[in-house]
Amino acid sequence: VFRIDEQLNEKIDEAVKENPTPKKFEAKDFSLKSSLEKAEIDTRRMVDTENALSMEVLHEYIPATKIKGKEDFILESSHYNLYDQNTQFGVQIEKEFDFNFPDHLDIYCYEEGNKSGFESPKKSITDVYNYYLMDGGSVLPVLALDIKPGHKVLDMCSAPGGKSLLALQTLYPSCIVSNDVSNSRVNRIDSVYNQFLFDFEEKWLKTGKIRLSNMDGRYMEEYDFDRILVDVPCTTDRHSLHENDNNIFKPSRVKERLQLPELQRQLLFQALKLVKIGGVVVYSTCSLSPIQNDGVVHMTLKQIWEETNMEIAVKDLSPALLQTRRVYKYADKNLLRYGHLVIPQMNQNYGPMYFCKLKKIK
Ligand code: SAM
């Protein structure tokens, strides 16, 4: 089972102790090609925020076994030892052909290659802003939820609230619970709702159409959701590339980073428990990391197979997503077993955004 167990936790502790401050990584040492040819980089030096994204991609796309001196390879590769890809267990994968676009939703983007920015939103006469700016990739997990009129929706990790707001803009949910483990981040959701929803307190909060919740998603126990979005904490690759403040690739956050897949698995597992039979869970990250993406879905499905009587079907949205190809560049589906991945391109600069749609059958 690809799960962080006691042993791996110990290994992480040991390695962090041995390398408390990794040496600065020299960018000139690094190129994918030369790394593959020489394969002799001291990977412990690679924990450096400036090059975080490219390095993580390197670590996670190159099977450790192909690299000479793999025993010295960065800890991420340890996950592969636990990610048993060959075990057969009951996963139903069903193709989905339709991608319903809610009638009331308006989403705007520029055409391919047009790199113009949007103006900042302005307040209208109702004193709320006229639109919410977000990465185009973030639209897809919400559309994949396929929210229908009257649905009760949980956004398990929802701060600052962009995807919850989008779900609300379909005008379909009868109730949306916007949850986040962090109190200060729940306050941010509150502030987004106040800025973008007319008469938030009276028309949305007091009527129960929106509930703000401040819980650890792993321990939530409300069982009647039709749709659950699990937009997990992840390495936020685009953000990590541009922002040094509190960057998840900082040496001081190594342990937290390495434990992300375990946290992600627990959140997804809980969501699949909470959703109604016939309901849909969408798991999403804004990372390119195969471990945090298909890896987490894989280990969650395996856990469900081993420990519960639930039956989960994975929805292969490839046919449905064909209609969005003019806007998004997707990773080759042959490289992904369960989900879909929007890859940033110069001309279609959205994402990264991984999403996987799961339906609870039993
Ligand atoms: N869905 C949000 C949006 O579109 O605006 C972005 C969510 S962000 C990627 C992940 C969020 O998960 C963070 O706000 C973080 O505080 C929250 N989080 C982390 N651990 C959590 C947990 N155990 N339970 C619930 N939320 C958690």
Side-chain angles (χ1 to χ4, degrees):
V1 182
F2 158 53
R3 212 183 294 165
I4 294 183
D5 55 13
E6 291 283 297
Q7 234 183 338
L8 182 53
N9 264 333
E10 277 167 25
K11 267 205 247 165
I12 294 173
D13 280 338
E14 263 168 44
V16 171
K17 228 185 282 160
E18 275 170 25
N19 296 291
T21 42
K23 280 177 246 159
K24 181 141 174 71
F25 174 68
E26 296 288 327
K28 63 179 163 48
D29 292 354
F30 179 78
S31 97
L32 187 63
K33 193 157 171 280
S34 64
S35 323
L36 276 168
E37 280 166 0
K38 294 189 211 134
E40 56 193 20
I41 294 174
D42 174 359
T43 50
R44 278 169 304 194
R45 281 189 300 155
M46 285 184 165
V47 186
D48 173 67
T49 50
E50 270 169 41
N51 297 289
L53 175 59
S54 42
M55 287 185 288
E56 283 295 302
V57 172
L58 172 72
H59 299 154
E60 301 202 344
Y61 269 106
I62 303 170
T65 44
K66 292 224 174 103
I67 300 209
K68 187 173 136 252
K70 66 177 173 161
E71 55 287 347
D72 212 19
F73 210 67
I74 198 160
L75 284 163
E76 269 82 345
S77 62
S78 320
H79 292 302
Y80 278 112
N81 302 333
L82 302 170
Y83 181 14
D84 175 3
Q85 301 217 27
N86 297 321
T87 313
Q88 292 300 313
F89 56 93
V91 185
Q92 250 172 277
I93 300 191
E94 298 170 353
K95 285 213 182 303
E96 196 154 294
F97 295 87
D98 289 330
F99 203 60
N100 293 324
F101 196 90
D103 292 340
H104 307 290
L105 194 60
D106 285 327
I107 298 173
Y108 298 92
C109 65
Y110 288 107
E111 69 281 10
E112 185 177 341
N114 184 342
K115 299 189 180 72
S116 313
F118 282 92
E119 275 178 27
S120 300
K122 292 189 180 56
K123 283 205 169 173
S124 58
I125 46 168
T126 50
D127 204 33
V128 293
Y129 285 108
N130 52 352
Y131 51 79
Y132 186 88
L133 290 170
M134 69 199 306
D135 184 302
S138 300
V139 167
L140 291 166
V142 180
L143 292 181
L145 275 176
D146 192 21
I147 301 171
K148 296 270 176 3
H151 274 167
K152 181 171 173 184
V153 180
L154 168 63
D155 187 355
M156 193 178 253
C157 309
S158 70
K163 295 190 188 68
S164 276
L165 188 66
L166 188 70
L168 280 163
Q169 283 177 327
T170 65
L171 304 184
Y172 286 161
S174 60
C175 166
I176 182 157
V177 179
S178 299
N179 177 71
D180 204 279
V181 73
S182 148
N183 187 35
S184 59
R185 289 182 63 84
V186 172
N187 291 339
R188 282 188 66 190
I189 310 174
D190 183 77
S191 131
V192 165
Y193 281 158
N194 268 299
Q195 291 176 68
F196 288 86
L197 295 174
F198 172 59
D199 211 0
F200 170 58
E201 299 282 329
E202 292 296 320
K203 290 203 165 25
W204 298 89
L205 261 192
K206 286 194 181 158
T207 54
K209 283 186 186 154
I210 292 178
R211 263 172 43 209
L212 294 177
S213 152
N214 181 200
M215 284 192 68
D216 186 324
R218 292 174 292 179
Y219 309 114
M220 293 186 87
E221 285 203 341
E222 201 174 324
Y223 283 88
D224 58 347
F225 292 102
D226 301 286
R227 298 290 187 261
I228 302 184
L229 178 63
V230 194
D231 187 39
V232 288
C234 66
T235 43
T236 56
D237 296 352
R238 181 186 285 267
H239 178 76
S240 299
L241 208 55
H242 294 292
E243 278 289 329
N244 265 341
D245 274 358
N246 206 27
N247 193 305
I248 184 93
F249 291 91
K250 266 182 175 174
S252 58
R253 295 185 73 189
V254 164
K255 192 169 173 183
E256 182 190 345
R257 178 159 53 86
L258 293 178
Q259 287 175 335
L260 274 175
E262 176 65 358
L263 171 62
Q264 294 161 339
R265 176 193 63 79
Q266 291 171 336
L267 289 163
L268 177 56
F269 183 77
Q270 193 59 16
L272 287 165
K273 271 169 73 182
L274 298 183
V275 78
K276 279 182 187 168
I277 289 175
V280 167
V281 171
V282 171
Y283 171 80
S284 58
T285 77
C286 46
S287 169
L288 291 166
S289 150
I291 298 295
Q292 295 173 59
N293 297 340
D294 264 9
V296 166
V297 174
H298 181 84
M299 66 178 178
T300 311
L301 292 173
K302 191 158 194 286
Q303 186 188 7
I304 282 175
W305 172 254
E306 287 171 347
E307 297 175 14
T308 76
N309 292 324
M310 288 190 269
E311 253 179 50
I312 306 294
V314 176
K315 295 289 188 172
D316 174 3
L317 300 174
S318 310
L321 290 173
L322 282 176
Q323 57 185 303
T324 67
R325 266 188 320 182
R326 285 181 60 196
V327 181
Y328 301 108
K329 166 79 182 155
Y330 293 101
D332 183 344
K333 186 61 180 134
N334 294 323
L335 299 174
L336 291 147
R337 198 191 286 191
Y338 303 114
H340 306 271
L341 178 64
V342 174
I343 308 182
Q345 300 276 303
M346 290 300 278
N347 281 344
Q348 291 165 296
N349 195 2
Y350 305 117
M353 178 56 60
Y354 170 89
F355 56 103
C356 178
K357 177 172 181 174
L358 302 145
K359 184 168 182 176
K360 185 160 163 183
I361 310 289
K362 198 173 95 180

